[in-house]
Amino acid sequence: KILSILFLGASIAVVAQSAKVVSAYNALNAGEYGKAIENIDMAINDAKTGAKEKTWRYRGDIYYAVAQSTEDFGVSKADAVSKSLESYLKAKELDTKGNYEDKILNGIALTQNLALNLGIQAYNENEFGTSRDMFLLAAEAAEKVGVTDTLAIYNAGLAAEQAEDYEVAITQYYRAAETGYNG
């Protein structure tokens, strides 16, 4: 009887966490991003659902949507973009059979493009530290899919220089020069 009760309790816990993933997905589709964040963050902290590609891919989708939103969900755009990329990369790692490779790579590409745009926006608003971080993130995202984004690398150097982060600026300028970028 005790084993049956323990098994039943464990089964209910697994179903409850799987339900969090579904709830997060449904909240995302309904535009309820705060609710989606709450559910997906609970799901990734669970041992079973946190080990599933789908959980991380949905988390990437959610944080990508949050980064694009004009509403405040308690997460900065920069953090949302960073969490989106982190999530897609984790999903890619967990997708050992490659069943969702196209969706994951698309998510990484969209996140990379959004990071570039936010980097440009931050630069134009004289927020050079944020701009540097977004350009660095865009370059990292591109590298994760086997592409060298020389524009992001060079712009990270420009933004770092404006932020008086000369060490990063020099590193990025050398990286750009090594690729033959003529900026």
Side-chain angles (χ1 to χ4, degrees), residues 11 62 91 125 139 169:
S11 297
I62 290 164
E125 294 171 357

Side-chain angles (χ1 to χ4, degrees), residues 93-134:
E93 175 189 317
L94 294 172
D95 186 27
T96 56
K97 295 180 182 175
N99 293 335
Y100 298 96
E101 183 177 14
D102 289 344
K103 287 183 178 187
I104 294 167
L105 292 178
N106 185 55
I108 292 170
L110 288 171
T111 301
Q112 190 255 352
N113 190 49
L114 181 57
L116 273 176
N117 290 333
L118 290 174
I120 292 166
Q121 179 183 350
Y123 191 91
N124 291 337
E125 294 171 357
N126 297 326
E127 296 174 6
F128 300 116
T130 300
S131 177
R132 173 203 57 217
D133 295 346
M134 289 294 93

Side-chain angles (χ1 to χ4, degrees), residues 153 169-179:
I153 293 168
I170 290 169
T171 301
Q172 296 310 302
Y173 288 149
Y174 273 118
R175 286 182 65 203
E178 288 169 358
T179 65

Side-chain angles (χ1 to χ4, degrees), residues 21 28 32 41 48 52 55 59 63 76 98 100 111 121 128 141 160 183:
V21 175
L28 169 64
E32 299 173 350
D41 285 347
K48 295 225 188 252
K52 293 184 178 184
T55 305
R59 184 176 187 255
Y63 278 105
S76 71
Y100 298 96
T111 301
Q121 179 183 350
F128 300 116

Side-chain angles (χ1 to χ4, degrees), residues 7-97:
F7 180 73
L8 180 62
S11 297
I12 290 171
V14 168
V15 170
Q17 289 308 314
S18 292
K20 293 290 183 194
V21 175
V22 172
S23 294
Y25 179 77
N26 290 337
L28 169 64
N29 289 332
E32 299 173 350
Y33 301 149
K35 192 176 187 180
I37 289 171
E38 182 182 319
N39 283 310
I40 205 67
D41 285 347
M42 279 193 261
I44 66 161
N45 289 317
D46 179 72
K48 295 225 188 252
T49 55
K52 293 184 178 184
E53 172 278 333
K54 177 171 69 172
T55 305
W56 288 95
R57 184 168 34 92
Y58 287 174
R59 184 176 187 255
D61 294 346
I62 290 164
Y63 278 105
Y64 176 79
V66 167
Q68 286 191 303
S69 178
T70 57
E71 293 181 49
D72 182 11
F73 296 99
V75 179
S76 71
K77 286 188 179 290
D79 285 342
V81 172
S82 180
K83 287 181 180 190
S84 179
L85 178 60
E86 167 197 328
S87 300
Y88 288 128
L89 293 175
K90 182 69 174 180
K92 185 178 179 206
E93 175 189 317
L94 294 172
D95 186 27
T96 56
K97 295 180 182 175

